[in-house]
Amino acid sequence: MMFEVVPLTRHLQASIINCCKMNMNMDPFDEMSWGTLGTIRPFFNFNAERDAQDIQAALEQKDAVTLVKILTNCDNAQRQIIAQTFKNMKGKELITGLKEAVSGELADLLSALVMTPLQFEAYRLMQAMEGIGTDEEGLLEILCTRSPQQLSKISAIYKEDYKKDLEEDLKGETSGHFAKLLVALLKKKVIVGEVQTDTEVLSEAINKAKADPGPWITVLTSRDSDHLNQVFDNLESEKHEAVVEAIEKAFSGDLKLGLRTLVHCIRKPHLYLAQRLDTKKTAIVQGVMVSHSEEDLLCVRVAYLKQTGTTLYTALQRQFKGVHLQALLSICRSED
């Protein structure tokens, strides 16, 4: 069963846009910025024992529709209670049962929903570094959009789940100044600075015959977004070009990608995530939607419509099908 499509009224759209603008002005490193503009909310008539029993029956019958209906109709905290109730009943993890009953991309999506939010982020970081090659953009998405408090917890979960040190893995998978940027993002702390001083430091570093990435890494990973946006405004007035364009000219390779992504996340985080969704790569679409479903997916939907001229709900219908589509639409929730 899919949720009824409920288009947003103009009044509601305007309210969401205003809230998104307010959220974008908040410090992205502050956990209090998260959790107000998600599409997934707690289920009012929640009954963990009933849901666990229904899930068990659905697993036995390989009834993916029922699994999707239950797991997308409650929030993550409620799913954790369901998962523990299921484990108490059956003596095994719910994720194990899901992977035995369904497969492929749907199994990945349902498993993601059952993980805790930060556990899922640790999993995504692990996936980005697993196998041949490294998904640099996948690493950057999480490291650029999560707060220091969140990243500290993600590191601890990563070590507990995978018996490896996240910082060491990042260093092992990358090199040079890009590795330094990733580690600085992982360990970022907000330090008060002077806007004019930081403007001059960044300007001097980028105007050298060979641009010096050190000050850029330091400043961009140790200031809040309001401060950095003022610095960027100053730089753009001084150089008469966007900061990302200056980065394009001054740096190269993965470092250029990293600094450019970080600036995008500071300037317009919801637009950045909308552009990630617009890659139409299944793992990215599922990752962004699940990760932000209880935080700011409404804002991402607004940015997606503005960026592409198409609602996310419609875009999903064009790309996916069957029960997998139903699950994604249930997370997206409605048309815009």
Side-chain angles (χ1 to χ4, degrees):
M1 178 185 297
M2 286 189 289
F3 287 91
E4 179 184 358
V5 180
V6 182
L8 296 180
T9 65
R10 289 184 179 180
H11 176 73
L12 183 54
Q13 281 182 323
S15 297
I16 291 172
I17 291 170
N18 288 334
C19 288
C20 292
K21 288 178 179 178
M22 290 174 64
N23 246 24
M24 286 170 63
N25 290 330
M26 292 179 184
D27 179 2
F29 297 164
D30 181 356
E31 280 192 286
M32 293 304 291
S33 301
W34 304 89
T36 57
L37 290 162
T39 56
I40 299 293
R41 304 294 169 87
F43 185 63
F44 180 71
N45 191 26
F46 178 64
N47 186 316
E49 186 171 345
R50 178 194 60 205
D51 287 342
Q53 291 172 346
D54 289 347
I55 284 176
Q56 174 56 28
L59 291 174
E60 292 173 356
Q61 299 166 17
K62 299 188 185 301
D63 178 2
V65 173
T66 296
L67 295 174
V68 166
K69 179 182 176 183
I70 295 171
L71 294 176
T72 61
N73 208 20
C74 57
D75 69 5
N76 189 271
Q78 291 172 330
R79 287 185 217 119
Q80 298 311 310
I81 299 172
I82 292 171
Q84 186 59 53
T85 304
F86 179 88
K87 185 176 181 180
N88 294 341
M89 288 170 47
K90 302 300 297 181
K92 68 177 179 181
E93 300 291 342
L94 177 52
I95 288 180
T96 301
L98 290 169
K99 290 182 177 179
E100 292 171 352
V102 295
S103 60
E105 293 167 343
L106 179 59
D108 293 338
L109 179 56
L110 296 181
S111 297
L113 289 169
V114 173
M115 296 180 196
T116 67
L118 298 184
Q119 183 183 21
F120 182 51
E121 298 295 69
Y123 172 78
R124 294 178 70 203
L125 288 170
M126 183 275 293
Q127 288 287 98
M129 294 184 282
E130 190 175 54
I132 299 174
T134 302
D135 178 7
E136 290 86 1
E137 293 187 21
L139 295 175
L140 287 166
E141 178 197 318
I142 297 169
L143 294 174
C144 289
T145 60
R146 293 310 185 191
S147 71
Q149 295 88 349
Q150 289 170 324
L151 288 169
S152 177
K153 293 175 183 177
I154 289 168
S155 294
I157 292 170
Y158 187 94
K159 190 162 191 175
E160 180 178 350
D161 287 357
Y162 307 114
K163 312 306 177 189
K164 296 187 291 183
D165 183 80
L166 179 54
E167 180 179 341
E168 292 304 315
D169 278 0
L170 289 172
K171 291 177 181 178
E173 289 290 324
T174 58
S175 60
H177 289 294
F178 182 60
K180 293 178 181 178
L181 173 62
L182 295 186
V183 172
L185 285 167
L186 180 65
K187 302 170 74 172
K188 59 193 172 189
K189 295 180 180 178
V190 179
I191 300 171
V192 176
E194 293 291 334
V195 170
Q196 187 56 40
T197 300
D198 285 346
T199 302
E200 293 170 358
V201 167
L202 294 185
S203 180
E204 181 182 353
I206 207 168
N207 286 329
K208 291 181 177 180
K210 183 177 181 180
D212 180 4
W216 280 77
I217 293 172
T218 299
V219 173
L220 268 61
T221 60
S222 63
R223 305 289 191 266
D224 66 48
S225 61
D226 283 343
H227 176 98
L228 289 171
N229 277 311
Q230 292 179 57
V231 172
F232 295 159
D233 288 343
N234 287 352
L235 287 171
E236 290 176 357
S237 295
E238 175 188 304
K239 298 183 70 63
H240 304 292
E241 64 179 351
V243 173
V244 290
E245 293 175 2
I247 289 171
E248 288 279 349
K249 294 176 182 177
F251 302 106
S252 61
D254 289 338
L255 177 62
K256 177 174 72 175
L257 170 66
L259 291 174
R260 186 180 63 206
T261 299
L262 182 52
V263 170
H264 277 310
C265 289
I266 293 166
R267 279 299 212 192
K268 296 183 178 180
H270 302 122
L271 177 59
Y272 164 72
L273 292 168
Q275 291 170 339
R276 289 283 285 165
L277 288 173
D278 199 36
T279 64
K280 294 181 170 59
K281 295 180 180 179
T282 300
I284 295 175
V285 171
Q286 294 188 166
V288 171
M289 289 186 65
V290 172
S291 291
H292 294 270
S293 61
E294 295 182 34
E295 299 175 352
D296 54 358
L297 190 54
L298 285 173
C299 296
V300 179
R301 277 172 29 186
V302 170
Y304 189 91
L305 176 58
K306 185 175 180 180
Q307 170 75 11
T308 67
T310 303
T311 66
L312 178 58
Y313 200 93
T314 296
L316 293 171
Q317 290 174 304
R318 293 174 179 173
Q319 182 178 354
F320 301 98
K321 60 184 179 180
V323 182
H324 188 206
L325 171 61
Q326 293 180 27
L328 290 168
L329 292 182
S330 295
I331 297 169
C332 184
R333 246 358 177 227
S334 68
E335 277 281 15
D336 292 305

